[in-house]
Short mmCIF file of all heavy atoms in Angstrom, two decimals:
data_model
loop_
_atom_site.label_atom_id
_atom_site.label_comp_id
_atom_site.label_asym_id
_atom_site.label_seq_id
_atom_site.Cartn_x
_atom_site.Cartn_y
_atom_site.Cartn_z
N LEU A 1 -26.02 -2.25 9.13
CA LEU A 1 -25.67 -1.22 8.15
C LEU A 1 -24.20 -1.37 7.76
O LEU A 1 -23.37 -1.72 8.60
CB LEU A 1 -25.91 0.18 8.74
CG LEU A 1 -27.37 0.50 9.16
CD1 LEU A 1 -27.43 1.82 9.88
CD2 LEU A 1 -28.27 0.51 7.93
N PRO A 2 -23.87 -1.12 6.51
CA PRO A 2 -22.48 -1.35 6.07
C PRO A 2 -21.47 -0.44 6.76
O PRO A 2 -20.33 -0.83 7.01
CB PRO A 2 -22.54 -1.09 4.57
CG PRO A 2 -23.74 -0.22 4.37
CD PRO A 2 -24.72 -0.66 5.41
N PHE A 3 -21.87 0.81 7.06
CA PHE A 3 -20.93 1.76 7.66
C PHE A 3 -21.40 2.26 9.02
O PHE A 3 -20.93 3.29 9.49
CB PHE A 3 -20.71 2.94 6.71
CG PHE A 3 -20.16 2.54 5.38
CD1 PHE A 3 -20.96 2.52 4.25
CD2 PHE A 3 -18.82 2.16 5.25
CE1 PHE A 3 -20.45 2.13 3.01
CE2 PHE A 3 -18.31 1.77 4.02
CZ PHE A 3 -19.12 1.75 2.90
N GLY A 4 -22.35 1.54 9.64
CA GLY A 4 -22.82 1.94 10.96
C GLY A 4 -23.94 2.95 10.91
O GLY A 4 -24.26 3.52 9.84
N ALA A 5 -24.55 3.19 12.05
CA ALA A 5 -25.69 4.11 12.14
C ALA A 5 -25.26 5.56 12.30
O ALA A 5 -26.08 6.47 12.16
CB ALA A 5 -26.60 3.71 13.30
N THR A 6 -23.99 5.79 12.60
CA THR A 6 -23.49 7.16 12.74
C THR A 6 -22.25 7.33 11.86
O THR A 6 -21.69 6.36 11.37
CB THR A 6 -23.12 7.44 14.22
OG1 THR A 6 -22.12 6.51 14.65
CG2 THR A 6 -24.34 7.31 15.12
N GLY A 7 -21.83 8.53 11.68
CA GLY A 7 -20.64 8.78 10.88
C GLY A 7 -20.98 9.37 9.52
O GLY A 7 -22.15 9.38 9.09
N PRO A 8 -19.97 9.87 8.80
CA PRO A 8 -20.23 10.56 7.52
C PRO A 8 -20.75 9.65 6.41
O PRO A 8 -21.37 10.12 5.47
CB PRO A 8 -18.85 11.12 7.16
CG PRO A 8 -17.86 10.25 7.89
CD PRO A 8 -18.55 9.85 9.16
N ARG A 9 -20.53 8.32 6.52
CA ARG A 9 -20.95 7.41 5.45
C ARG A 9 -22.16 6.56 5.85
O ARG A 9 -22.42 5.53 5.24
CB ARG A 9 -19.78 6.50 5.06
CG ARG A 9 -18.50 7.26 4.73
CD ARG A 9 -17.42 6.36 4.21
NE ARG A 9 -17.76 5.80 2.91
CZ ARG A 9 -16.94 5.02 2.19
NH1 ARG A 9 -15.72 4.73 2.67
NH2 ARG A 9 -17.31 4.54 1.02
N ARG A 10 -22.86 7.00 6.86
CA ARG A 10 -23.95 6.17 7.40
C ARG A 10 -25.08 5.96 6.40
O ARG A 10 -25.82 4.98 6.50
CB ARG A 10 -24.49 6.80 8.69
CG ARG A 10 -25.12 8.18 8.50
CD ARG A 10 -25.56 8.76 9.85
NE ARG A 10 -26.21 10.05 9.72
CZ ARG A 10 -25.57 11.20 9.62
NH1 ARG A 10 -24.24 11.21 9.62
NH2 ARG A 10 -26.23 12.34 9.51
N ARG A 11 -25.25 6.87 5.44
CA ARG A 11 -26.36 6.76 4.48
C ARG A 11 -25.95 6.02 3.20
O ARG A 11 -26.78 5.83 2.31
CB ARG A 11 -26.89 8.15 4.14
CG ARG A 11 -27.44 8.90 5.34
CD ARG A 11 -28.11 10.20 4.92
NE ARG A 11 -28.58 10.96 6.07
CZ ARG A 11 -29.73 10.72 6.72
NH1 ARG A 11 -30.52 9.75 6.30
NH2 ARG A 11 -30.07 11.45 7.76
N GLU A 12 -24.70 5.61 3.12
CA GLU A 12 -24.23 4.93 1.92
C GLU A 12 -24.58 3.44 1.97
O GLU A 12 -24.66 2.85 3.05
CB GLU A 12 -22.72 5.10 1.75
CG GLU A 12 -22.28 6.54 1.55
CD GLU A 12 -20.79 6.65 1.32
OE1 GLU A 12 -20.19 5.63 0.92
OE2 GLU A 12 -20.23 7.74 1.54
N THR A 13 -24.79 2.87 0.82
CA THR A 13 -25.04 1.43 0.72
C THR A 13 -23.76 0.74 0.27
O THR A 13 -22.84 1.37 -0.27
CB THR A 13 -26.17 1.13 -0.29
OG1 THR A 13 -25.79 1.65 -1.57
CG2 THR A 13 -27.47 1.76 0.18
N ALA A 14 -23.72 -0.57 0.47
CA ALA A 14 -22.52 -1.33 0.10
C ALA A 14 -22.91 -2.79 -0.11
O ALA A 14 -23.95 -3.24 0.37
CB ALA A 14 -21.45 -1.21 1.16
N TYR A 15 -22.05 -3.48 -0.84
CA TYR A 15 -22.23 -4.90 -1.09
C TYR A 15 -21.00 -5.65 -0.57
O TYR A 15 -20.02 -5.04 -0.13
CB TYR A 15 -22.46 -5.17 -2.58
CG TYR A 15 -23.68 -4.46 -3.11
CD1 TYR A 15 -23.55 -3.22 -3.74
CD2 TYR A 15 -24.94 -5.03 -2.98
CE1 TYR A 15 -24.67 -2.57 -4.23
CE2 TYR A 15 -26.06 -4.38 -3.46
CZ TYR A 15 -25.93 -3.14 -4.09
OH TYR A 15 -27.04 -2.50 -4.56
N ASP A 16 -21.07 -6.95 -0.65
CA ASP A 16 -20.00 -7.77 -0.11
C ASP A 16 -18.65 -7.39 -0.72
O ASP A 16 -17.67 -7.19 0.00
CB ASP A 16 -20.31 -9.25 -0.37
CG ASP A 16 -19.27 -10.18 0.24
OD1 ASP A 16 -18.27 -10.47 -0.45
OD2 ASP A 16 -19.46 -10.59 1.40
N TYR A 17 -18.59 -7.26 -2.04
CA TYR A 17 -17.30 -6.98 -2.68
C TYR A 17 -16.79 -5.57 -2.35
O TYR A 17 -15.59 -5.32 -2.36
CB TYR A 17 -17.40 -7.17 -4.20
CG TYR A 17 -18.37 -6.26 -4.90
CD1 TYR A 17 -17.98 -5.00 -5.33
CD2 TYR A 17 -19.66 -6.67 -5.16
CE1 TYR A 17 -18.87 -4.16 -5.98
CE2 TYR A 17 -20.56 -5.85 -5.80
CZ TYR A 17 -20.16 -4.58 -6.21
OH TYR A 17 -21.05 -3.76 -6.84
N VAL A 18 -17.72 -4.63 -2.06
CA VAL A 18 -17.29 -3.29 -1.68
C VAL A 18 -16.56 -3.31 -0.34
O VAL A 18 -15.49 -2.71 -0.17
CB VAL A 18 -18.50 -2.33 -1.62
CG1 VAL A 18 -18.07 -0.95 -1.11
CG2 VAL A 18 -19.16 -2.22 -2.99
N ILE A 19 -17.12 -4.03 0.61
CA ILE A 19 -16.47 -4.13 1.92
C ILE A 19 -15.16 -4.90 1.82
O ILE A 19 -14.17 -4.56 2.47
CB ILE A 19 -17.42 -4.81 2.93
CG1 ILE A 19 -18.74 -4.03 3.02
CG2 ILE A 19 -16.78 -4.90 4.30
CD1 ILE A 19 -18.58 -2.59 3.44
N GLN A 20 -15.13 -5.94 0.96
CA GLN A 20 -13.88 -6.67 0.76
C GLN A 20 -12.79 -5.75 0.21
O GLN A 20 -11.62 -5.84 0.59
CB GLN A 20 -14.09 -7.85 -0.19
CG GLN A 20 -14.85 -9.02 0.40
CD GLN A 20 -14.78 -10.25 -0.48
OE1 GLN A 20 -13.76 -10.50 -1.13
NE2 GLN A 20 -15.86 -11.04 -0.49
N ALA A 21 -13.17 -4.87 -0.69
CA ALA A 21 -12.19 -3.94 -1.26
C ALA A 21 -11.73 -2.92 -0.23
O ALA A 21 -10.53 -2.62 -0.12
CB ALA A 21 -12.80 -3.24 -2.48
N LEU A 22 -12.67 -2.39 0.55
CA LEU A 22 -12.32 -1.36 1.52
C LEU A 22 -11.44 -1.89 2.64
O LEU A 22 -10.57 -1.17 3.15
CB LEU A 22 -13.60 -0.75 2.10
CG LEU A 22 -14.43 0.12 1.14
CD1 LEU A 22 -15.74 0.53 1.80
CD2 LEU A 22 -13.64 1.35 0.73
N CYS A 23 -11.68 -3.14 3.04
CA CYS A 23 -10.89 -3.69 4.15
C CYS A 23 -9.58 -4.31 3.68
O CYS A 23 -8.77 -4.75 4.51
CB CYS A 23 -11.70 -4.71 4.93
SG CYS A 23 -12.03 -6.24 4.04
N GLY A 24 -9.36 -4.39 2.36
CA GLY A 24 -8.10 -4.91 1.85
C GLY A 24 -8.09 -6.40 1.61
O GLY A 24 -7.04 -6.96 1.25
N TRP A 25 -9.23 -7.04 1.76
CA TRP A 25 -9.26 -8.49 1.56
C TRP A 25 -8.99 -8.88 0.10
O TRP A 25 -8.35 -9.89 -0.17
CB TRP A 25 -10.62 -9.04 2.00
CG TRP A 25 -10.71 -10.54 1.88
CD1 TRP A 25 -11.28 -11.24 0.86
CD2 TRP A 25 -10.20 -11.49 2.79
NE1 TRP A 25 -11.17 -12.57 1.08
CE2 TRP A 25 -10.51 -12.78 2.27
CE3 TRP A 25 -9.52 -11.42 4.00
CZ2 TRP A 25 -10.14 -13.95 2.90
CZ3 TRP A 25 -9.16 -12.57 4.64
CH2 TRP A 25 -9.47 -13.83 4.11
N MET A 26 -9.44 -8.06 -0.85
CA MET A 26 -9.23 -8.37 -2.26
C MET A 26 -7.75 -8.40 -2.62
O MET A 26 -7.35 -9.07 -3.59
CB MET A 26 -9.96 -7.35 -3.14
CG MET A 26 -11.46 -7.54 -3.23
SD MET A 26 -12.17 -6.42 -4.46
CE MET A 26 -13.88 -6.91 -4.40
N ASP A 27 -6.96 -7.67 -1.88
CA ASP A 27 -5.52 -7.63 -2.17
C ASP A 27 -4.84 -8.95 -1.83
O ASP A 27 -3.70 -9.19 -2.25
CB ASP A 27 -4.88 -6.48 -1.39
CG ASP A 27 -3.46 -6.19 -1.87
OD1 ASP A 27 -3.27 -6.07 -3.09
OD2 ASP A 27 -2.56 -6.10 -1.01
N LEU A 28 -5.54 -9.80 -1.08
CA LEU A 28 -4.95 -11.08 -0.67
C LEU A 28 -5.33 -12.21 -1.60
O LEU A 28 -4.87 -13.34 -1.42
CB LEU A 28 -5.40 -11.43 0.76
CG LEU A 28 -5.06 -10.40 1.85
CD1 LEU A 28 -5.64 -10.86 3.18
CD2 LEU A 28 -3.57 -10.20 1.95
N THR A 29 -6.20 -11.97 -2.57
CA THR A 29 -6.66 -13.03 -3.48
C THR A 29 -6.27 -12.70 -4.91
O THR A 29 -5.79 -11.60 -5.22
CB THR A 29 -8.18 -13.19 -3.38
OG1 THR A 29 -8.79 -11.96 -3.76
CG2 THR A 29 -8.61 -13.56 -1.97
N GLY A 30 -6.51 -13.63 -5.82
CA GLY A 30 -6.19 -13.42 -7.23
C GLY A 30 -4.83 -13.99 -7.60
O GLY A 30 -4.15 -14.65 -6.81
N GLU A 31 -4.44 -13.73 -8.86
CA GLU A 31 -3.17 -14.23 -9.37
C GLU A 31 -2.02 -13.34 -8.93
O GLU A 31 -2.20 -12.13 -8.73
CB GLU A 31 -3.22 -14.28 -10.91
CG GLU A 31 -4.25 -15.21 -11.49
CD GLU A 31 -3.94 -16.66 -11.17
OE1 GLU A 31 -2.74 -16.98 -11.01
OE2 GLU A 31 -4.89 -17.47 -11.09
N PRO A 32 -0.82 -13.91 -8.77
CA PRO A 32 0.35 -13.09 -8.41
C PRO A 32 0.58 -12.00 -9.46
O PRO A 32 0.64 -12.26 -10.66
CB PRO A 32 1.49 -14.10 -8.38
CG PRO A 32 0.84 -15.42 -8.13
CD PRO A 32 -0.48 -15.35 -8.84
N GLY A 33 0.71 -10.78 -9.02
CA GLY A 33 0.93 -9.65 -9.91
C GLY A 33 -0.32 -9.15 -10.58
O GLY A 33 -0.28 -8.16 -11.34
N GLY A 34 -1.46 -9.82 -10.36
CA GLY A 34 -2.71 -9.41 -10.99
C GLY A 34 -3.46 -8.39 -10.16
O GLY A 34 -3.03 -8.00 -9.07
N PRO A 35 -4.62 -7.96 -10.66
CA PRO A 35 -5.42 -6.97 -9.92
C PRO A 35 -6.10 -7.61 -8.71
O PRO A 35 -6.20 -8.84 -8.62
CB PRO A 35 -6.45 -6.53 -10.96
CG PRO A 35 -6.61 -7.72 -11.85
CD PRO A 35 -5.25 -8.36 -11.93
N PRO A 36 -6.57 -6.81 -7.76
CA PRO A 36 -7.33 -7.35 -6.63
C PRO A 36 -8.55 -8.13 -7.11
O PRO A 36 -9.19 -7.76 -8.10
CB PRO A 36 -7.75 -6.09 -5.85
CG PRO A 36 -6.74 -5.06 -6.25
CD PRO A 36 -6.39 -5.35 -7.67
N THR A 37 -8.84 -9.23 -6.42
CA THR A 37 -9.91 -10.13 -6.86
C THR A 37 -10.84 -10.42 -5.69
O THR A 37 -10.38 -10.63 -4.56
CB THR A 37 -9.33 -11.45 -7.39
OG1 THR A 37 -8.37 -11.16 -8.42
CG2 THR A 37 -10.43 -12.34 -7.95
N LYS A 38 -12.10 -10.44 -6.00
CA LYS A 38 -13.10 -10.77 -4.98
C LYS A 38 -12.97 -12.22 -4.55
O LYS A 38 -12.73 -13.10 -5.36
CB LYS A 38 -14.51 -10.51 -5.52
CG LYS A 38 -15.63 -10.86 -4.55
CD LYS A 38 -16.98 -10.63 -5.20
CE LYS A 38 -18.11 -11.03 -4.25
NZ LYS A 38 -18.10 -12.46 -3.93
N SER A 39 -13.14 -12.47 -3.27
CA SER A 39 -13.10 -13.83 -2.76
C SER A 39 -14.26 -14.64 -3.32
O SER A 39 -15.34 -14.10 -3.59
CB SER A 39 -13.15 -13.82 -1.23
OG SER A 39 -13.25 -15.13 -0.72
N GLY A 40 -14.02 -15.94 -3.50
CA GLY A 40 -15.08 -16.78 -4.04
C GLY A 40 -16.28 -16.88 -3.12
O GLY A 40 -17.42 -17.02 -3.59
#
């Protein structure tokens, strides 16, 4: 499950890019000064 079996977000769905955004991984990719970008 994307957010675990317990907790307030346990019923929510998520995709790869959603988790990348939530964990801050998108902030490490993309062009300098550009918006957050999904990893290839």
